[in-house]
Amino acid sequence: MLDRRRKVLAATRAVMAEFGLDGFTMRQIADRAGVATATLFNNFQSREALVSQAVLDAFSVSREDGATDKPESFEALEAYVRWTAREIIALDRYVDAVVAAYFSRAVPNPIRDILKHEAEAPYIHFLGWLDGKDMLRPATDIEFVAHTISSHIFAQMHAWSIGEIANPDLSGALVEGVMSIVRGQLARSQ
């Protein structure tokens, strides 16, 4: 059962990478995964749920190198951002579909909602950690700052996907942007 689920999620990512977010059918995923279309709907209820799960799975499968999604130091934050850059490069063409989903103007957009939540969660945690140590400026809107960080990351992902940022430069661009946004929120004494 678990192998079939992994196969379906991998097939979903492959089809998304090949045809884009709106350019594929559930039948194509079912054929690629070797399952019936009804199996997809029985296990994932909707196309959006399947795509969302495939996205979440892609970013959680390989976080085995010590990068944590709950950073509690500047070093841990930098390690997490560098891990993010490695994942973006590893996912290659699939990133186009993820970026398209994030910036889609479709309303409602449950895929964007999940991407937004997952992208912002580590930064909300880190900023909350800073706030607990009284390191943030008073009245810092943690959720807004986390949203700003995730928007920066998705914008950099887009720039990378169209060739404006080279593979070796992506990690530095992400780290520099994230750290700059965070430093702008630090209390003056920091």
Side-chain angles (χ1 to χ4, degrees):
M1 182 67 152
L2 190 58
D3 285 340
R4 181 170 60 182
R5 182 178 178 80
R6 285 188 184 133
K7 196 174 188 179
V8 167
L9 295 175
T12 303
R13 289 188 293 274
V15 170
M16 283 176 62
E18 190 173 337
F19 299 105
L21 187 62
D22 296 322
F24 67 90
T25 65
M26 294 292 271
R27 164 68 31 219
Q28 288 171 305
I29 294 170
D31 289 346
R32 179 105 25 127
V35 301
T37 305
T39 301
L40 298 180
F41 286 104
N42 288 338
N43 287 286
F44 296 97
Q45 288 71 51
S46 70
R47 182 178 192 271
E48 290 78 15
L50 174 57
V51 169
S52 299
Q53 188 57 53
V55 169
L56 295 177
D57 185 66
F59 282 98
S60 64
V61 161
S62 61
R63 195 178 298 137
E64 298 166 356
D65 63 355
T68 176
D69 61 354
K70 296 193 182 331
E72 292 189 349
S73 70
F74 284 96
E75 295 79 17
L77 178 64
E78 183 174 336
Y80 178 76
V81 174
R82 290 190 186 284
W83 170 85
T84 300
R86 286 190 303 274
E87 288 304 295
I88 291 167
I89 291 168
L91 294 171
D92 195 19
R93 290 188 56 206
Y94 175 64
V95 168
D96 293 338
V98 172
V99 169
Y102 186 82
F103 289 115
S104 171
R105 294 172 58 182
V107 178
N109 186 337
I111 296 168
R112 179 182 50 228
D113 295 343
I114 289 172
L115 286 171
K116 184 178 177 304
H117 177 267
E118 291 299 314
E120 293 174 6
Y123 304 107
I124 289 172
H125 179 85
F126 180 73
L127 293 163
W129 175 79
L130 288 176
D131 194 39
K133 295 190 167 293
D134 293 325
M135 294 175 70
L136 292 181
R137 292 184 312 185
T140 296
D141 184 338
I142 289 174
E143 289 186 11
F144 177 78
V145 176
H147 175 71
T148 301
I149 292 169
S150 70
S151 293
H152 163 74
I153 289 173
F154 278 95
Q156 296 296 333
M157 287 170 65
H158 174 69
W160 171 82
S161 74
I162 62 172
E164 291 180 357
I165 299 175
N167 285 3
D169 301 329
L170 181 60
S171 183
L174 291 180
V175 168
E176 182 179 328
V178 169
M179 293 304 193
S180 177
I181 293 166
V182 169
R183 279 193 303 270
Q185 301 305 312
L186 295 177
R188 293 275 182 216
S189 63
Q190 301 305 318

